[in-house]
């Protein structure tokens, strides 16, 4: 029997890791993530979860311990946020380049200084090029579900995966989360069985020195694995949907069938933007929404497909690449350059450092896109 | 392992798991080699455990794969009975 619990996004992540039967959890506390590993440490202490909980002195060590566990052939999990993720940076490369499918929850929190604990996406997007899959979640249910989707997909392509949830808006907000029967989950997500693992009877060097003659080939294999991951994630999402009745997809389309313009957005703000779409539709605008669930690998074809059907795209970025523009805005335009149909794309930077993103903000952005100059970098709501 | 086995990316394992060191025989980097004194060995296996290149094979006694031994001397340093001694291999010209 499935059960429904009313829990925070953080605890949805903990239950997701528990029900995915993570075998090693290594973590260091950081607001707003701490509750994820706090509950997991309780599960390990009371025997609910048969896993080794490793207390470490930093996030760098947490990821290092997870990599070691994964290399030894066990399912490893951790969680972090903002500065903790930044401290892990070196080990993020190591996990991906070593092909260790560690799964991690990152609670999106703005980078300091000034000190902030509220949400924006700059922490996870700064890790774009480390080779990790990145899943942006919209609800607590999706956080729970995506944990097992990520483990299954990542273990198939031998790449690590980061599921991302917004600080406080999801991490500390209670929502009902349905948890399926463990037997069904075990059927969906069998034990981790990598093709290579540390084995005393067949001792090998991991991450051995590789000369310029072969380094590039190993990098090419990672690119290939990412391209495969796009297909794998869709297949795993589909299987998850068939088994448990919830389907998300890599680029979720909302009211896009007859849409003439579309909002592109990631994270929990997509929920608010969906309400804004409903309101604007009542007012006569043929508007839809495309939610970027998967950022790496990037769903280029789906972006081009929706672009070919609309007259205008509006990208809302809760992040910024200083000296250029919003990161999703940038990526989406790169995706469209080789497309036949390229509608104008407007980019807005909004909601940094956890500034509220309400329905009025979304409708305001859409209205401003009617009249603004496409070349402008638009900072929504900034006090000038 | 013959180098002919590796023609392109798809012949490689997904990551650099020793197979790539089969492409790079690190033994020719060596300046000094381990010399083993069997009579002192207590068969504790520490040398095998500490070899960073996993090139000590543990039978009844340790055996070194000199194609890969870089001469780092960790085994000699860690041996509790001084059963491993490093011998300079450099050739002076």
């Amino acid at each position: 029997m499935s059960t429904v619990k009313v829990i925070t996004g953080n605890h949805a992540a903990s239950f997701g890791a528990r029900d995915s039967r993570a075998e090693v959890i290594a973590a260091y506390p950081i607001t707003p993530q701490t509750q994820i590993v706090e509950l997991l440490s309780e599960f390990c202490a009371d025997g609910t979860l048969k896993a080794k909980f490793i207390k470490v002195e930093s996030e760098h060590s947490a990821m290092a311990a997870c990599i070691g566990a994964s290399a030894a052939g066990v399912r490893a999990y951790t969680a972090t946020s903002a500065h903790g993720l930044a401290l892990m940076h070196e080990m993020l490369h190591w996990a991906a380049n070593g092909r260790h499918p560690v799964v991690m929850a990152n609670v999106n929190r703005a980078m300091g200084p000034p000190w902030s604990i509220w949400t924006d996406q700059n922490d996870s997007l700064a890790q774009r090029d480390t080779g990790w899959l990145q899943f942006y979640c919209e609800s607590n249910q999706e956080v729970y579900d995506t944990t097992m989707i990520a483990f299954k997909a990542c273990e198939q392509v031998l790449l690590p995966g980061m599921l991302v949830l917004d600080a406080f808006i999801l991490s500390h907000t209670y929502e009902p989360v349905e948890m399926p029967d463990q037997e069904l989950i075990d059927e969906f997500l069998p034990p981790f069985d990598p093709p290579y693992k540390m084995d005393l009877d067949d001792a090998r060097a991991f991450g051995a020195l590789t000369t310029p003659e072969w380094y590039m080939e190993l990098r090419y294999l990672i690119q290939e694995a990412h391209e495969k991951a796009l297909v794998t994630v869709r297949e795993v999402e589909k299987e998850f949907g068939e088994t448990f009745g919830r389907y998300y997809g890599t680029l979720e389309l909302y009211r896009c069938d007859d849409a003439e313009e579309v909002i592109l957005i990631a994270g929990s703000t997509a929920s608010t933007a969906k309400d804004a779409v409903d309101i604007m539709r009542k007012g006569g605008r043929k508007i839809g929404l495309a939610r970027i669930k998967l950022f790496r690998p990037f769903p280029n074809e789906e972006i081009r497909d929706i672009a070919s059907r609309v007259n205008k795209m509006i990208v809302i970025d809760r992040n910024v690449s200083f000296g250029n523009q919003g990161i999703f805005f940038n990526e989406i335009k790169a995706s469209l350059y080789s497309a036949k149909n390229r509608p104008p794309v407007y980019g807005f930077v909004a909601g940094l450092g956890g500034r509220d993103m309400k329905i009025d903000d979304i409708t305001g952005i859409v209205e401003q896109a009617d009249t603004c100059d496409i070349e402008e970098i638009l900072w929504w709501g900034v006090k000038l | 392992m013959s180098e002919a086995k590796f023609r392109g990316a798809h012949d490689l394992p997904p990551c650099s798991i020793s197979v790539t060191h089969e492409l790079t025989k690190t033994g020719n980097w060596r300046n000094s080699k381990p010399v083993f004194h069997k009579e002192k060995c207590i068969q504790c296996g520490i040398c095998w455990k500490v070899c960073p290149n996993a090139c000590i094979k543990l039978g009844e006694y340790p055996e070194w794969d000199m194609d890969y031994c870089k001469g780092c001397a960790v085994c000699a340093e860690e041996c509790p009975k001084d059963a491993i001694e490093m011998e300079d291999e450099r050739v002076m010209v």
Side-chain angles (χ1 to χ4, degrees):
Chain A
M1 276 291 285
S2 69
T3 53
V4 177
K5 285 186 199 299
V6 180
I7 51 174
T8 62
N10 276 344
H11 284 176
S14 322
F15 279 102
R18 182 198 70 175
D19 296 350
S20 299
R21 296 194 189 274
E23 295 165 284
V24 164
I25 295 151
Y28 191 82
I30 183 168
T31 299
Q33 164 285 124
T34 305
Q35 296 167 334
I36 298 178
V37 291
E38 206 170 53
L39 185 58
L40 281 167
S41 73
E42 279 176 34
F43 288 151
C44 291
D46 67 18
T48 312
L49 178 61
K50 286 180 181 51
K52 173 87 178 163
F53 191 94
I54 306 174
K55 286 177 281 181
V56 288
E57 73 279 16
S58 76
E59 286 85 354
H60 187 277
S61 303
M63 186 48 64
C66 285
I67 289 165
S70 188
V74 303
R75 189 167 283 158
Y77 180 87
T78 187
T80 191
S81 193
H83 292 262
L85 183 67
L87 185 55
M88 271 183 193
H89 179 74
E90 182 203 1
M91 289 291 112
L92 297 184
H93 283 285
W94 193 274
N97 294 349
R99 307 298 296 274
H100 305 300
V102 176
V103 168
M104 155 164 72
N106 179 66
V107 182
N108 262 157
R109 163 183 159 180
M111 296 296 294
W115 222 220
S116 169
I117 53 171
W118 296 277
T119 197
D120 77 33
Q121 298 157 331
N122 257 67
D123 60 347
S124 53
L125 291 173
Q127 306 302 340
R128 183 188 67 172
D129 302 334
T130 54
W132 281 60
L133 275 67
Q134 290 198 4
F135 304 85
Y136 287 78
C137 298
E138 184 186 345
S139 68
N140 293 358
Q141 181 72 61
E142 193 177 359
V143 169
Y144 173 84
D145 294 344
T146 303
T147 310
M148 45 201 79
I149 288 168
F151 269 120
K152 180 156 181 155
C154 290
E155 288 171 6
Q156 282 182 24
V157 295
L158 295 176
L159 290 168
M162 184 191 299
L163 58 122
V164 183
L165 58 149
D166 290 328
F168 300 103
I169 298 165
L170 292 186
S171 73
H172 286 63
T173 303
Y174 284 76
E175 287 182 349
V177 173
E178 195 209 351
M179 300 176 200
D181 189 72
Q182 186 67 47
E183 268 180 40
L184 277 178
I185 298 171
D186 291 345
E187 230 169 87
F188 171 78
L189 182 63
F192 175 42
D193 184 23
Y196 292 89
K197 62 180 175 186
M198 287 184 179
D199 181 358
L200 290 178
D201 296 326
D202 179 22
R204 285 172 174 274
F206 278 58
L209 182 101
T210 300
T211 60
E213 197 187 351
W214 288 101
Y215 183 89
M216 201 162 156
E217 281 68 25
L218 289 167
R219 288 298 164 273
Y220 178 77
L221 292 178
I222 293 179
Q223 174 65 18
E224 250 189 3
H226 261 275
E227 283 163 17
K228 186 178 171 226
L230 199 53
V231 179
T232 305
V233 170
R234 280 185 201 129
E235 283 169 0
V236 171
E237 289 254 11
K238 189 165 172 272
E239 188 192 337
F240 186 91
E242 283 162 5
T243 314
F244 303 113
R246 287 184 293 274
Y247 179 77
Y248 305 99
T250 47
L251 184 77
E252 184 205 347
L253 300 181
Y254 179 76
R255 302 192 76 167
C256 281
D257 285 349
D258 63 340
E260 288 166 2
E261 49 189 348
V262 66
I263 300 169
L264 289 111
I265 196 162
S268 65
T269 323
S271 282
T272 313
K274 284 174 185 172
D275 283 350
V277 163
D278 291 344
I279 289 166
M280 288 185 279
R281 282 233 168 215
K282 275 185 196 149
R285 280 191 95 117
K286 283 193 171 170
I287 190 162
L289 177 143
R291 177 172 71 93
I292 301 155
K293 164 80 185 275
L294 192 67
F295 174 64
R296 276 294 179 275
F298 198 61
N300 285 303
E301 278 175 34
E302 287 167 279
I303 297 276
R304 286 180 204 134
D305 180 59
I306 186 67
S308 72
R309 296 192 272 131
V310 296
N311 304 324
K312 186 203 273 181
M313 296 172 100
I314 302 155
V315 186
I316 303 175
D317 273 293
R318 206 166 201 164
N319 61 76
V320 62
S321 175
F322 296 116
N324 202 3
Q325 50 205 201
I327 296 166
F328 290 117
F329 182 42
N330 211 344
E331 294 268 338
I332 286 161
K333 286 190 296 179
S335 180
L336 295 185
Y337 188 75
S338 58
K340 276 187 193 144
N341 302 301
R342 292 191 307 240
V345 188
Y346 294 83
F348 288 81
V349 172
L352 299 187
R355 183 170 296 184
D356 261 350
M357 291 286 288
K358 297 178 178 172
I359 289 173
D360 288 349
D361 295 298
I362 309 291
T363 54
I365 283 170
V366 170
E367 279 160 24
Q368 192 175 340
D370 282 340
T371 54
C372 69
D373 178 359
I374 196 162
E375 296 300 327
E376 250 182 296
I377 299 167
L378 297 149
W379 281 57
W380 175 254
V382 75
K383 294 184 271 292
L384 292 170
Chain B
M1 193 76 56
S2 77
E3 298 202 6
K5 187 181 167 193
F6 305 107
R7 289 173 193 279
H10 297 113
D11 301 324
L12 297 172
C15 58
S16 53
I17 306 165
S18 71
V19 70
T20 48
H21 98 209
E22 282 155 13
L23 297 168
T24 311
K25 291 201 173 175
T26 47
N28 63 10
W29 304 0
R30 209 169 51 238
N31 279 333
S32 60
K33 67 175 180 189
V35 176
F36 178 54
H37 300 290
K38 193 175 168 181
E39 71 285 357
K40 293 187 187 170
C41 176
I42 55 167
Q43 297 162 296
C44 64
I46 288 176
C47 54
W48 165 79
K49 195 161 79 178
V50 298
C51 175
N53 230 32
C55 69
I56 298 176
K57 196 177 156 196
L58 199 63
E60 196 181 348
Y61 291 98
E63 277 174 48
W64 283 258
D65 186 339
M66 299 310 281
D67 279 345
Y68 302 109
C69 173
K70 297 174 190 165
C72 72
V74 173
C75 56
E77 189 65 31
E78 295 298 325
C79 175
K81 294 291 172 187
D82 295 328
I84 305 162
E85 191 185 357
M86 298 307 288
E87 186 183 293
D88 200 329
E89 279 187 300
R90 283 174 293 182
V91 180
M92 296 299 172
V93 269

